[in-house]
Amino acid sequence: MSGKEEIESLEKLLSKLDVKDLESVNKILYGIGCSKLEIPKIEAEDLEIQSYKFACPREQTRLPKITRVGLFQNKTPLETWAPIQEQRQALHNLAEKAIEAAAKASVNIFCFQEAWTMPFAFCTREKVPWCEYAENAEKAIEAAAKASVNIFCFQEAWTMPFAFCTREKVPWCEYAENAEKGPTTRFLQNLALKNNMVIISPILERDEDHNDVLWNTAVVIDNHGDYFGKHRKNHIPRVGDFNESTYYMEGNTGHPVFETEFGKIAINICYGRHHPLNWLMFGINGAEIVFNPSATTGELSEPLWGIEARNAAIANSYFTCAINRVGTEIFQNEFSSGNSKPAHKDFGHFYGASYVAAPNGSRTPGLSRINNGLLVCEMDLNLCRQTKDFWGLQMTQRLDLYAKSLTAAADLYFKPQLIKKF
Amino acid sequence: MSGKEEIESLEKLLSKLDVKDLESVNKILYGIGCSKLEIPKIEAEDLEIQSYKFACPREQTRLPKITRVGLFQNKTPLETWAPIQEQRQALHNLAEKAIEAAAKASVNIFCFQEAWTMPFAFCTREKVPWCEYAENAEKAIEAAAKASVNIFCFQEAWTMPFAFCTREKVPWCEYAENAEKGPTTRFLQNLALKNNMVIISPILERDEDHNDVLWNTAVVIDNHGDYFGKHRKNHIPRVGDFNESTYYMEGNTGHPVFETEFGKIAINICYGRHHPLNWLMFGINGAEIVFNPSATTGELSEPLWGIEARNAAIANSYFTCAINRVGTEIFQNEFSSGNSKPAHKDFGHFYGASYVAAPNGSRTPGLSRINNGLLVCEMDLNLCRQTKDFWGLQMTQRLDLYAKSLTAAADLYFKPQLIKKF
């Protein structure tokens, strides 16, 4: 995709339609009940801010449960081969601006794109010098601290470049740190406490108690600065440049939902969005908002982007927050993609387009495909139960049937229910 | 929605964009690899024909498995209170034209919208005179017979008006007939044999061997005229005017996949499209094409329509065919919807927009929101396995994990994996 001129956004193109036509198109494509959210005028260079809210009727017996999320997508500001300290500093500067902007917009939960503190270098399989990115969090967190954010969610493996595509192990593995006591978690605890903010910090985890193995893990720190728990990524891609399965394995933490003071949240990391069962279990465990920090590229992926997290919101009657990296990252050394094409130096264009989907299937427009962006979205979590009552999908779900079906299907000697004539 | 002027289609509005913009929009909204299919010029009054095909690379070890489906959506041509014989005749005339057109387009599998042979009268709860619609199949089937269609799929409960919304039991229940030996099945067997055509016939089934209970059942007759099997609708709505749960219960036939000479097919009837587990089991059992004959209305449903069957195609690496009724049907007697609004005489606008989605997430445009339409779509079933190999969603599915999770979740004393601080 590099070299090709990228369009700015689907919505920008659609906006060329006349007002009446656009209204009809939006109703079908985006649903009803999502409207502009008024926020203070915020000055932030190189950051496009959009803000929306979802409608939700008042109830008689419950107060509204208003939560406001901020989704941040950003380009890497420097070349991928820039010295780590400089790259980190530039990213932190970006993050600080975004978090300050989010704070001015009264955001409660802030979520970065996947692996936001690094180039998405995993495609290259190189390990040098990427691993030196380890422990680069301070600046960004300080910014978050200033921002009175209530729930702060970093992107997947945020403490390092997303280097899995490189298949190189040095220096990437050195980014790994202990989930509960590592320097990043300790650092975030201070900021969480200071800002009354829940922070979700997806890192590369080093499990020192179990043979030093690695995991792709989201750490949750609560708004009192306490370590709250962690979730390990359940589904690891084996697609093209997504070489993550050479770095860590499928998670063993099930589908935890974290009951924060700002809502019951879960994290479905990146490739897990392709798996309806993964989304389902977060719903069964009570999630009201599921974050999906991602890094995805390409014309095979993009038509799926608006479908999967949104379908999960519909099927499970919760909110989903889909955040994708933005921009094209060029690497210094070429690498191949296992697709018979020549080696190349980029991973394709990360098309951004982050969005929030509501339980009733409404969604916000997407952020830009090419620019840094902050999506602020206010939601009343009461809409989850209201939607369950309306559609009845949980009541009609027939879990007992599928528990048996899947148990049978998982058996080595499973015979599909295939009707043949002879 | 009645009285309101309906837009013709999303695609018609989008077509007002300039060519370059439209190309970019289509790539994001519809994916890549779906292109116009050349078919002979077909004259068919009051029938908009669109035709597409999905790209699929040639393989070395398997021949292409080309199948061509036809999706037919239609308005009821007469007032809902027209005499049954007249209504039936008018519908059969429509169907005959559509099937003839499909035959000229070399369609192998033809599928009607849900309950195509009747008004969608279930909203009214009236049972008289709807039940007399029973045994109205002959004319349409004769038409199909002429059409050298290879797989013929009727809409849900095709042998009767879709009267479940009425909550009336007379005459609706009289539509029910034996799946294996009822007059409709016997009639279709002749046509299936004559035309070397697989026919899927969703009817209201009377199970005389089990206390005369009713089921919403799709009967499959193979292209040699033999009864092949049946599937009973797994998930029954309890939403608004969809009063179907007062007529029949959740199906007990599992998730059968029918291995026809033209592909391995399954039927996910209407509301089952909201349930990812339902789609999943058809995939696990080997389906290559899953038909979703539906009848759905309203602004809460429409934003979901393009998402759910398409997500199922992506998640399960098969083709999905989503067919929706079209038009607004007015009933003679008013009925209420359980939504605090006054009783009314229509069920809302059936917004059509039938489409086919491919395993790689590409989709065809939708048919019209207001007009009768036939969607012809050619596919190479090899794309299913190719997509599985590319995305690896089946390999990374972790069925064993979810078999255990769902077994736990289905237990009465299940405790969600909810992380609380205290």
Side-chain angles (χ1 to χ4, degrees), chain B residues 119-136:
Chain B
F120 201 88
F122 305 116
C123 52
T124 69
R125 277 171 289 189
E126 294 168 354
K127 302 222 163 179
V128 176
W130 311 116
C131 293
E132 289 187 52
Y133 270 94
E135 289 324 296
N136 61 352

Side-chain angles (χ1 to χ4, degrees), chain B residues 70-278:
Chain B
L71 284 61
F72 178 46
Q73 63 175 38
N74 66 278
K75 291 183 274 193
T76 46
L78 306 181
E79 292 91 348
T80 57
W81 55 86
I84 288 177
Q85 298 287 2
E86 289 178 24
Q87 183 80 266
R88 176 192 301 163
Q89 186 61 51
L91 277 162
H92 286 182
N93 289 347
L94 268 184
E96 181 169 351
K97 276 193 284 185
I99 293 170
E100 276 174 0
K104 287 177 189 155
S106 307
V107 162
N108 299 109
I109 310 177
F110 185 96
C111 189
F112 283 106
Q113 69 194 16
E114 188 181 17
W116 75 272
T117 60
M118 56 180 289
F120 201 88
F122 305 116
C123 52
T124 69
R125 277 171 289 189
E126 294 168 354
K127 302 222 163 179
V128 176
W130 311 116
C131 293
E132 289 187 52
Y133 270 94
E135 289 324 296
N136 61 352
E138 287 101 51
K139 191 84 183 180
I141 301 311
E142 208 139 274
K146 291 180 194 154
S148 67
V149 164
N150 288 111
I151 305 185
F152 187 98
C153 177
F154 285 101
Q155 68 195 10
E156 184 186 6
W158 76 275
T159 59
M160 53 180 295
F162 202 86
F164 307 123
C165 54
T166 68
R167 280 164 283 187
E168 296 165 346
K169 299 225 164 179
V170 176
W172 305 116
C173 296
E174 286 191 50
Y175 275 97
E177 45 180 298
N178 185 284
E180 189 166 352
K181 297 168 189 167
T184 296
T185 299
R186 284 204 309 275
F187 178 65
L188 290 173
Q189 287 176 305
N190 294 330
L191 290 164
L193 175 63
K194 182 173 159 195
N195 297 288
N196 189 35
M197 185 196 304
V198 172
I199 299 180
I200 306 161
S201 172
I203 61 169
L204 188 61
E205 179 196 3
R206 173 78 72 186
D207 187 354
E208 289 143 346
D209 293 339
H210 294 90
N211 262 322
D212 285 330
V213 294
L214 299 177
W215 301 98
N216 185 321
T217 300
V219 178
V220 180
I221 297 151
D222 79 7
N223 54 320
H224 305 286
D226 295 324
Y227 170 83
F228 202 9
K230 68 184 171 191
H231 174 56
R232 291 168 173 164
K233 184 174 175 177
N234 274 327
H235 301 269
I236 315 291
R238 278 108 167 126
V239 185
D241 288 331
F242 293 89
N243 301 302
E244 303 165 45
S245 64
T246 65
Y247 290 88
Y248 41 78
M249 297 294 286
E250 277 72 11
N252 60 355
T253 49
H255 297 82
V257 169
F258 301 93
E259 186 164 12
T260 77
E261 293 180 18
F262 308 107
K264 289 190 268 186
I265 62 175
I267 308 102
N268 180 345
I269 304 172
C270 200
Y271 183 78
R273 74 181 174 280
H274 302 303
H275 289 283
L277 286 166
N278 200 33

Side-chain angles (χ1 to χ4, degrees), chain A residues 16 21 226 235 396 421, chain B residues 16 21 222 226 235 396 421:
Chain A
K16 297 181 184 178
D21 288 344
D226 295 325
H235 300 269
T396 59
K421 194 162 182 184
Chain B
K16 297 181 184 179
D21 288 344
D222 79 7
D226 295 324
H235 301 269
T396 59
K421 193 161 181 185

Side-chain angles (χ1 to χ4, degrees), chain A residues 355-389:
Chain A
Y355 69 97
V356 178
N360 60 13
S362 301
R363 58 158 287 183
T364 68
L367 286 177
S368 164
R369 294 180 75 260
I370 54 174
N371 295 323
N372 295 344
L374 173 67
L375 178 60
V376 176
C377 185
E378 183 177 291
M379 61 224 2
D380 182 346
L381 301 179
N382 282 350
L383 190 59
C384 299
R385 197 175 80 181
Q386 290 179 21
T387 304
K388 289 176 188 170
D389 288 349

Side-chain angles (χ1 to χ4, degrees), chain A residues 78-90 129 133:
Chain A
L78 306 181
E79 291 91 346
T80 58
W81 55 86
I84 290 177
Q85 298 287 3
E86 288 177 27
Q87 183 81 267
R88 176 192 301 166
Q89 186 61 52
Y133 270 94

Side-chain angles (χ1 to χ4, degrees), chain A residues 173-333:
Chain A
C173 297
E174 285 190 52
Y175 274 97
E177 43 181 301
N178 185 284
E180 189 167 351
K181 297 169 189 166
T184 296
T185 298
R186 284 203 311 274
F187 177 65
L188 290 173
Q189 286 177 305
N190 293 331
L191 290 165
L193 175 63
K194 182 172 159 196
N195 296 289
N196 189 37
M197 184 199 301
V198 173
I199 299 179
I200 305 161
S201 172
I203 62 170
L204 188 60
E205 180 197 3
R206 173 78 71 188
D207 187 354
E208 290 144 344
D209 293 339
H210 295 90
N211 262 322
D212 286 330
V213 295
L214 299 177
W215 301 99
N216 186 321
T217 300
V219 178
V220 180
I221 298 152
D222 79 7
N223 53 321
H224 305 287
D226 295 325
Y227 170 83
F228 203 8
K230 67 184 172 191
H231 174 57
R232 291 168 173 164
K233 184 173 176 176
N234 274 326
H235 300 269
I236 316 291
R238 277 112 167 122
V239 186
D241 287 332
F242 293 90
N243 301 304
E244 303 166 44
S245 65
T246 65
Y247 290 89
Y248 40 80
M249 295 294 285
E250 277 73 10
N252 61 354
T253 50
H255 297 82
V257 170
F258 301 93
E259 186 165 12
T260 77
E261 294 180 18
F262 308 107
K264 288 190 268 185
I265 62 176
I267 308 101
N268 180 344
I269 304 171
C270 199
Y271 183 76
R273 73 181 175 282
H274 301 303
H275 289 283
L277 287 166
N278 200 33
W279 292 106
L280 173 70
M281 283 311 302
F282 291 122
I284 285 176
N285 286 326
E288 293 167 315
I289 311 172
V290 181
F291 291 89
N292 176 228
S294 298
T296 180
T297 69
E299 59 186 13
L300 287 172
S301 154
E302 192 163 0
L304 281 52
W305 177 248
I307 302 296
E308 294 170 312
R310 191 173 176 195
N311 190 75
I314 296 166
N316 300 291
S317 307
Y318 52 47
F319 291 91
T320 57
C321 299
I323 310 168
N324 186 26
R325 185 174 283 250
V326 70
T328 305
E329 299 176 1
I330 312 294
F331 291 90
Q332 201 161 23
N333 303 322

